Amino acid sequence: MTGPRIIAGRWRGRVLAAPEGRETRPTNIRARQAVFDILAHAPWCDLQEAKVLDVFAGTGAYGLEALSRGAASASFIEQSREAAAALRANIAGLKLESAKLFTADALHPPAGNPHDLVFLDPPYGEALISPALAALTAKGWIAPGAIIVAEMGPGETLDIVEPLAERAHGKAHLKIWRV
């Protein structure tokens, strides 16, 4: 099986390393494409020069895609050692100096710097988005007015008063909003 790939930008078509097994679920490529189509055309998002945070990063597909499309920097938070090793290989393979990996629990993160575009793609069915956002905000990872992109699984809900965008792609349900 081939790993996920970068869809567009500087590293278009680059296949990303992924850990063996089923512990890490790479984002469906159509869902990721939909997210970046929305972000690229939205008047409320400037992907160029964004400081990106990819939480529950897995292979790093969201953050690496953002860097490929012009984001200034990306920080990745991933707890799994196997996924972190694959992500470390992806960062090294792209020779990225603007990427930093934190092998940490998103519910108990270390102190961080503010990011203005945040991707949250936790394991489906575990209701981790709200507690992760609270923990990341408390530790300084989320900039005021940051754009949040969350991916949820079938049947999961997240009450957002005014989402900027919502889409469903296969099992993935995407919500985008500003904090």
Side-chain angles (χ1 to χ4, degrees):
M1 181 178 132
T2 306
R5 64 180 171 82
I6 294 177
I7 302 164
R10 182 176 178 188
W11 301 298
R12 180 178 187 217
R14 177 74 63 104
V15 175
L16 301 175
E20 296 292 325
R22 296 179 181 256
E23 183 178 319
T24 300
R25 171 199 40 81
T27 297
N28 174 307
I29 197 164
R30 288 187 305 267
R32 193 162 24 102
Q33 178 69 51
V35 165
F36 281 94
D37 285 348
I38 292 166
L39 296 177
H41 297 98
W44 38 261
C45 180
D46 183 10
L47 186 55
Q48 300 299 310
E49 300 305 313
K51 293 176 185 167
V52 174
L53 177 60
D54 187 346
V55 185
F56 305 101
T59 63
Y62 273 121
L64 295 172
E65 186 76 40
L67 287 171
S68 182
R69 294 174 184 236
S73 64
S75 297
F76 301 87
I77 297 177
E78 175 53 57
Q79 183 174 358
S80 161
R81 287 185 187 165
E82 294 81 11
L87 178 48
R88 197 171 289 109
N90 290 330
I91 291 169
L94 295 171
K95 298 176 176 57
L96 293 172
E97 294 180 16
S98 59
K100 191 162 186 180
L101 171 60
F102 296 85
T103 305
D105 180 350
L107 301 182
H108 305 284
N113 295 314
H115 293 75
D116 45 29
L117 179 58
V118 180
F119 295 97
L120 291 149
D121 184 13
Y124 287 171
E126 297 186 25
L128 297 173
I129 293 170
S130 292
L133 269 177
L136 293 163
T137 300
K139 292 292 189 159
W141 288 94
I142 314 286
I147 293 170
I148 309 296
V149 178
E151 181 177 332
M152 298 167 290
E156 290 182 271
T157 60
L158 185 62
D159 290 328
I160 304 301
V161 176
E162 292 186 39
L164 296 168
E166 276 187 86
R167 300 287 186 281
H169 288 275
K171 292 181 179 180
H173 184 85
L174 308 163
K175 282 198 181 194
I176 303 173
W177 72 97
R178 186 180 301 276
V179 291

